[in-house]
Every structure is written in structure tokens, then in C-alpha cells.
Amino acid sequence: MLAVPWYFSAQVDAAIFQKIYFIVTLISLFWGLIAGTLVDRYDRKQIFIWINVVGLITLSLATILGFILSDYHWIIPAVVYAITFFIYNIHFPALYAFAQEITPASAYGKVTSKLEVQGQLTWTIAGGVAALLISGTAASSFYGISIPAINAWPIHWIFLIDACTYICSLYLIYKISIAKNEHKIIDTDSLRQRLKTGFSYLKKHPLVFIFGNASLAVFVCIILQATLTNPSYVKEHLHASGAVYAWSDMFFSAGALLAGFFSTRLLGENKPILSIAYLSLVAAAMFVFQVFNTNLSLFFASFFIVGICNAAIRIQRITFLFRFIPNHLIGRASSVFFMSNIVFRLGLTAIFTLPIFLTPTYVSYACGVYALVSIVGAVALFLIREKLILEPTQS
């Protein structure tokens, strides 16, 4: 998912990828809603197995085609990106629903922190590997670390590594042993009725709906920055290589990893709404800084700080929602939040397809838009904080 955006930016056309991203995001608006009903209806371990099978087949075919075709058309990486995107749409709701299902309420904060640490550690390693493989590197020293010369890998070789990770994932998930939960509520209604139930729950709790969306503001910006605007920003504004693009993601993940270890201890769980609002403002300040900055070291530092903010927000947000939303509804509630997330992303993606954001002189202005979105999210949280803490939980 790091390699494909850079592949389009460096070898095809960034404008083509933006159109692909818009189409994939639009489709996921509908798929995300269905995914939430599946998470609440079926065994979550089996969902993990099936999405890993789909991922393995997709990456394996893309790898094989890379070896047998003399002309590796850009549509193949585009399909890989789309299917992986759709896998994300069901993987994360299933992951958090599964974590809530098997975790006592007293341990929600610890478990969400550990999930964030695990996820960001994996992403940090992926970012470091991607930095070396996407565009290659000459023998050098990076912040005191000696890096040997590495030739750039064709994208289908990177897909081969990804396919192997799906094999590892399948094995680990298959080995998980889960005690049967006799008290688990399974909604066997029709798809339409299950969707309606999810919407009805949030209609009864409008402040939870506002919180769920406002607390996603920074995350929406980060997703769009990482996949849509950062490749062009690095290439046109910083005049840097694909290695810098991938390293920026690794610094972001390193910050998130640090937040995963310490955010619950430092911020606590008593005032998550205020914590998220303040962290959103810090992220907004970093986005404003990125509009004007051209120094690589400071660029990496800003990503590190945004990574801390995003991970701390996610941990606080998920823990708070675990306490509010019952497990048999968490998948559908997450899908409604996801739908709102997609609508915001579609709107911002449409904005970023305007010619001004494709112009080297103004490509950094996208970071200003991210700052504005983060500030709006923070303001919304400040406005609802007192009333929301009075809402009943798990009803």
C-alpha cells in the first residue's frame, strides 16, 4: 500500500491514481456498510481467514503476472490496491469487534494500546523495507545508520513479499483457540434489517455519532495524505525520492508506536474527549507547518509528531466506544462511522483533483486543508464534551 501510490507517482501518472482512489473509495462506501453487518453476524475468526485467503490469491496472481508479462500494465497494481483497500474495510471493524468480544471492560485501554503498538510496529518495519525497495538506494549513511546499496525492486517482487505475509497471517489466525461464548448475541435478521439496527442505535445516541465522526478527523487526513497527496508532495514540494516518501511513513509509525506505549498512562481514560480534541489541534499545527516547510529533517519530525497524535487519538477513541457500544452492535456502528469517513474522503479527494493541487507550486496546500479538517473535528468535540459524558453506556 506504500509501493502502489509511489509507483503511480513515479512511473505512471499521479492523476490516474487519484481517479482510481476516488472510484475505490466510492465503491467502499457501500461495501463498508455490508462489512459491518458481516462482522456482527458471523464468526470473526472465520472472517479473518477468508479475507486473508482473498489477499493471498490476489497478491499471488499479481506476482505471477509480473513474471510472465513483458508489459506489466498499471491496471494490475490498481486492482491489488483496490482489493487490499476493501480488505481493510472489513479487517479493522472485525479486529476491534473481536478484541472487545474477548476482553473484560477493565482491560479495554490496555488491549487497544497493545493493538496499536502491534499494528504500528508492523507498519514501521514495512515503511523501512519499502524505503529500501521502492526506489532503491546507493550506499549511504542515514542519521548514523549505514545503508548498503540496494537496487529498486519491480513492484511484482514487492507483491511477492506481501503474498508471503498473508501465508504467515493465515497460519497464526488458524492457530488461535477461542472459548465459545455462550452469551454472545448474534443478529440473524436480514441484511437490510441488520443495517437498520445499526443506524437506529446511533440515531438514539446522536452525541456518540458526532463523537465517532469528529474523532476520526485526523485519521481521515492521514489516510488521504499517505495515499493521495504525500507522493506528489515529496516529489514536487520537497524534490525528494521515493525513499523519503517511505521513510516519512516509517517516522509516522515510530511516533505512533511511542504513543501506543505511553498514551494511556499519560492521558488516562477519564477525559478522552478533551484529550482527542487537544491532540487534533496539535496535528493541525503540524499540517500547517508542512505547508511551508522544505527541510527533510523537520518534515520527518512533523510526521513523527502527527503519528503520536493519531495513535493516541485512536486508542482513546476505541476505548471510549468500547464502553458505549455493545459488542453485538459494534460492527454495524463502526460501519456507519466508516460510511461517514468515506463521504468525507470522497469530498476531499474531489477537492484534491482540482488543478491547483496538482501544480508543483501549490501541492503543499493540501496540508492546509488537513489542518482545517482537524480543527473542525476538535471544535466539535469541545462542544459536545460535557453532554456526552452523561450518556448511558452499553445500552
Side-chain angles (χ1 to χ4, degrees):
M1 297 302 273
L2 286 170
V4 172
W6 184 260
Y7 166 81
F8 275 90
S9 181
Q11 299 184 33
V12 186
D13 186 349
I16 292 177
F17 181 74
Q18 289 185 339
K19 292 180 176 66
I20 292 169
Y21 187 84
F22 183 87
I23 294 170
V24 170
T25 305
L26 182 61
I27 295 172
S28 68
L29 176 63
F30 306 99
W31 161 237
L33 285 175
I34 297 172
T37 69
L38 297 177
V39 168
D40 287 340
R41 174 66 179 83
Y42 296 102
D43 182 89
R44 285 141 187 178
K45 177 180 174 179
Q46 293 301 315
I47 290 175
F48 289 135
I49 290 174
W50 278 108
I51 61 178
N52 275 272
V53 167
V54 172
L56 175 59
I57 293 172
T58 302
L59 271 297
S60 298
L61 289 175
T63 301
I64 293 169
L65 290 173
F67 284 113
I68 64 176
L69 296 178
S70 57
D71 181 21
Y72 198 65
H73 198 275
W74 59 260
I75 195 68
I76 300 172
V79 170
V80 170
Y81 187 90
I83 292 178
T84 308
F85 193 100
F86 297 146
I87 287 175
Y88 282 2
N89 296 165
I90 190 169
H91 168 81
F92 287 104
L95 175 65
Y96 293 123
F98 181 66
Q100 185 194 33
E101 178 184 343
I102 65 173
T103 304
S106 60
Y108 282 163
K110 292 181 180 178
V111 169
T112 53
S113 296
K114 289 180 179 179
L115 281 175
E116 194 67 22
V117 168
Q118 171 269 320
Q120 294 301 336
L121 178 60
T122 307
W123 199 257
T124 302
I125 295 170
V129 174
L132 301 178
L133 300 184
I134 289 175
S135 58
T137 180
S140 62
S141 177
F142 189 84
Y143 288 90
I145 302 173
S146 296
I147 302 176
I150 295 177
N151 294 325
W153 280 30
I155 196 166
H156 63 275
W157 274 97
I158 297 176
F159 289 162
L160 175 60
I161 294 179
D162 293 333
C164 293
T165 65
Y166 276 110
I167 295 173
C168 297
S169 180
L170 271 170
Y171 173 76
L172 292 171
I173 293 167
Y174 180 76
K175 296 293 287 184
I176 293 174
S177 179
I178 309 167
K180 187 175 181 180
N181 185 353
E182 300 292 345
H183 303 289
K184 181 179 177 181
I185 300 173
I186 298 176
D187 192 340
T188 58
D189 288 335
S190 66
L191 172 62
R192 180 180 178 181
Q193 186 58 43
R194 296 202 306 273
L195 281 171
K196 185 177 178 181
T197 302
F199 280 101
S200 297
Y201 174 81
L202 291 174
K203 187 177 180 180
K204 286 173 57 181
H205 302 277
L207 294 180
V208 177
F209 177 75
I210 295 172
F211 169 83
N213 288 302
S215 58
L216 275 175
V218 173
F219 178 71
V220 170
C221 296
I222 287 167
I223 289 293
L224 287 173
Q225 184 177 47
T227 58
L228 197 63
T229 62
N230 203 33
S232 297
Y233 178 92
V234 169
K235 184 180 178 182
E236 306 293 351
H237 181 72
L238 298 179
H239 305 291
S241 67
V244 170
Y245 163 65
W247 276 107
S248 68
D249 205 80
M250 195 182 76
F251 272 90
F252 169 86
S253 299
L257 183 62
L258 182 67
F261 280 114
F262 298 111
S263 65
T264 301
R265 294 179 187 176
L266 296 178
L267 300 174
E269 297 181 28
N270 296 325
K271 296 183 178 180
I273 306 171
L274 281 177
S275 297
I276 294 172
Y278 287 129
L279 288 165
S280 298
L281 292 178
V282 174
M286 291 299 101
F287 289 135
V288 171
F289 173 78
Q290 290 168 6
V291 174
F292 307 102
N293 175 63
T294 57
N295 181 281
L296 289 184
S297 296
L298 295 178
F299 169 67
F300 292 137
S302 68
F303 264 70
F304 181 79
I305 294 171
V306 172
I308 292 175
C309 294
N310 179 59
I313 288 171
R314 281 162 58 91
I315 292 168
Q316 297 276 311
R317 176 182 184 272
I318 295 166
T319 303
F320 189 79
L321 290 178
F322 276 10
R323 298 189 186 285
F324 260 88
I325 304 175
N327 187 253
H328 70 281
L329 290 171
I330 192 73
R332 280 165 286 183
S334 297
S335 71
V336 175
F337 294 139
F338 175 79
M339 182 187 69
S340 302
N341 182 334
I342 292 298
V343 171
F344 295 145
R345 277 197 245 173
L346 285 171
L348 290 173
T349 302
I351 292 173
F352 294 143
T353 58
L354 296 175
I356 187 172
F357 292 106
L358 300 174
T359 304
T361 306
Y362 301 107
V363 70
S364 67
Y365 282 28
C367 299
V369 177
Y370 298 142
L372 180 61
V373 171
S374 300
I375 291 170
V376 170
V379 170
L381 291 171
F382 280 126
L383 292 175
I384 67 169
R385 70 187 188 282
E386 293 184 358
K387 292 182 179 179
L388 182 56
I389 59 176
L390 301 177
E391 284 254 332
T393 62
Q394 294 282 339
S395 60

